[in-house]
Amino acid sequence: MASCVEQATESTISLKGSTKMVSEFFYYAINSILYQRGIYPSESFDTTTKYNLKIVETCDDKLKEYLNNVLAQLEGWLEECDVQKLVLVMQDLESKQNVERWSFDVTCDKSIKSDPNFTKPGDLKQVQRGIQDVIRQVVSSITFLPILESACSFDLLVYCDQEVSTPAGWDETTGKLVIDSEDLRLKSFTTSIHSVVPTVSYRRT
């Protein structure tokens, strides 16, 4: 009987559980992008194990606080199925031009919002494999993306449904697109409730 209960638990995913998985993925994906693209120096990161992979996580207190604050708000929006996409954009500090833009399109099964206890069938191992594939592509990005010649800053943008009000401390802004860009779609993954489709846009050289 105990093994049957465990199996049933592992084969279903709740909205809250899906939200946690997606939010956590964004945290580690952002860390990996900032490290791989040299936005922060390598000494600002420690190595950790997640998704059965060796990945990086910032040890910079200010960066960690910023990411945690953004993702805490994002998590609330994800649980309400209000998020359309998360964007990480890099800007050349000298020219002020946007040189690279990582976009994570998010779709959600909004039909479950009316029942917070509702669950859907989902294979947790398959979700982890999907996340592994995306993280691996992020790590290998230095092999196909142009070298960032100058120092860059970054910003995080969250696209939400129109009825979502802008919280205190957040500002509405433009899409900060990369002009004359090449676009590369990466592998996607789904929790069965949220689906995430990453695309990286970079300036043609």
Side-chain angles (χ1 to χ4, degrees):
M1 176 67 74
S3 61
C4 290
V5 172
E6 183 179 1
Q7 184 177 6
T9 300
E10 290 183 350
S11 63
T12 60
I13 297 176
S14 66
L15 175 57
K16 187 177 288 292
S18 174
T19 295
K20 286 287 187 184
M21 283 188 282
V22 173
S23 178
E24 187 176 66
F25 159 75
F26 282 145
Y27 176 77
Y28 287 108
I30 292 167
N31 271 272
S32 294
I33 292 168
L34 297 178
Y35 173 80
Q36 295 296 332
R37 303 305 285 144
I39 305 303
Y40 280 76
S42 58
E43 56 266 25
S44 297
F45 297 87
D46 290 328
T47 303
T48 187
T49 301
K50 191 69 182 177
Y51 313 119
N52 291 325
L53 297 173
K54 291 288 186 182
I55 57 178
V56 294
E57 179 180 6
T58 184
C59 55
D60 182 294
D61 290 339
K62 289 185 178 180
L63 176 57
K64 185 175 291 189
E65 181 182 10
Y66 170 73
L67 294 180
N68 286 337
N69 288 339
V70 171
L71 292 175
Q73 178 63 68
L74 178 68
E75 195 169 307
W77 285 328
L78 284 168
E79 194 165 344
E80 292 297 322
C81 293
D82 289 331
V83 178
Q84 297 177 359
K85 70 175 65 179
L86 172 69
V87 172
L88 188 161
V89 62
M90 301 173 195
Q91 185 180 77
D92 187 303
L93 286 175
E94 294 182 4
S95 67
K96 305 303 181 184
Q97 292 185 334
N98 300 319
V99 295
E100 196 168 292
R101 188 177 190 269
W102 293 74
S103 175
F104 298 88
D105 289 348
V106 180
T107 55
C108 178
D109 183 355
K110 292 179 180 290
S111 66
I112 68 173
K113 288 180 63 176
S114 59
D115 183 359
N117 297 316
F118 183 82
T119 60
K120 292 189 70 173
D123 186 334
L124 297 180
K125 290 183 178 179
Q126 185 172 339
V127 174
Q128 178 164 291
R129 284 195 295 269
I131 292 174
Q132 284 176 336
D133 288 341
V134 178
I135 295 293
R136 286 193 181 102
Q137 281 195 305
V138 171
V139 171
S140 66
S141 65
I142 57 174
T143 64
F144 58 81
L145 291 174
I147 295 174
L148 298 175
E149 302 286 354
S150 303
C152 293
S153 62
F154 84 98
D155 200 3
L156 293 175
L157 315 177
V158 182
Y159 288 67
C160 291
D161 294 342
Q162 285 189 343
E163 62 269 20
V164 175
S165 58
T166 303
W170 290 66
D171 297 311
E172 294 190 12
T173 183
T174 64
K176 298 189 177 181
L177 302 176
V178 178
I179 298 174
D180 194 25
S181 68
E182 295 277 358
D183 300 326
L184 179 64
R185 181 168 169 173
L186 306 182
K187 292 183 178 180
S188 59
F189 74 90
T190 181
T191 67
S192 78
I193 293 177
H194 293 96
S195 296
V196 179
V197 181
T199 301
V200 57
S201 303
Y202 54 95
R203 192 169 56 183
R204 290 182 180 143
T205 55

